Amino acid sequence: MIITRETDYAIRILRSLADLQLKNIREISDEQMVPRQFAYKISKKLERAGFIEIIRGAQGGCRLTRDLHDITLMDIINVMERENMITSCLDGDFQCPYHRRYGFCDVHEALAGVQGKLSAYLATIHLYDIMFPHGGPAPVKASGASRDAL
């Protein structure tokens, strides 16, 4: 599992929206240095995941809908990455020739343990803590958020 450019861009888009202001993709893209064609694609994934709302029209834009304290790095990785395993042999559809020949694979078992620990750890890292390690801004509230402040 590697944090890809797409995941990095998703975090940047959410960081731009942390102030709870309605912003269009051009503003977000310019502010966060995310190529516009990626920003459009990623924002749609973030909307489907329920992290942002996209309002269409001349006065539209994007708005954060979830509290950044409640979104983990693992949440973003799961939304952005089709394959979030550290190696392809952990994918359920992977057909391991070694396992097929010998009926077991110690390497697979060891890597599965690493994957489990890494996934569990990433699920403890909240986006707010990544974006604002020293406290940062405390906007009022994202609509639909479960806390009084971000």
Side-chain angles (χ1 to χ4, degrees):
M1 173 182 348
I2 297 174
I3 295 177
T4 63
R5 185 172 296 154
E6 188 175 24
T7 297
D8 178 42
Y9 289 163
I11 293 167
R12 292 176 191 221
I13 289 169
L14 293 172
R15 176 175 60 190
S16 179
L17 298 173
D19 64 4
L20 303 182
Q21 299 301 309
L22 184 67
K23 295 181 182 175
N24 65 44
I25 292 295
R26 182 183 41 77
E27 292 171 307
I28 294 168
S29 180
D30 291 346
E31 176 188 309
Q32 296 297 320
M33 296 175 276
V34 174
R36 228 168 263 156
Q37 70 272 20
F38 288 113
Y40 282 111
K41 177 182 163 190
I42 293 166
S43 65
K44 289 177 184 174
K45 286 185 177 184
L46 292 172
E47 181 182 43
R48 279 192 300 272
F51 299 142
I52 69 171
E53 171 185 26
I54 298 175
I55 300 165
R56 294 171 185 12
Q59 301 302 313
C62 300
R63 179 181 11 226
L64 188 65
T65 59
R66 291 266 311 273
D67 188 325
L68 294 174
H69 289 94
D70 296 332
I71 303 171
T72 68
L73 188 51
M74 194 68 208
D75 292 334
I76 297 300
I77 291 169
N78 284 332
V79 167
M80 292 297 126
E81 309 303 323
R82 284 188 305 252
E83 293 183 23
N84 61 13
M85 300 296 168
I86 59 172
T87 181
S88 60
C89 83
L90 296 175
D91 183 337
D93 296 332
F94 182 77
Q95 297 297 316
C96 176
Y98 190 89
H99 191 271
R100 210 175 17 244
R101 178 182 285 175
Y102 298 108
F104 68 94
C105 181
D106 291 331
V107 173
H108 174 88
E109 294 304 316
L111 292 176
V114 170
Q115 178 71 51
K117 289 177 183 174
L118 181 58
S119 295
Y121 176 66
L122 293 173
T124 69
I125 300 172
H126 295 91
L127 290 190
Y128 185 90
D129 297 328
I130 292 172
M131 295 174 190
F132 308 108
H134 306 292
V140 182
K141 184 178 181 182
S143 65
S146 63
R147 294 179 186 255
D148 292 331
L150 290 177

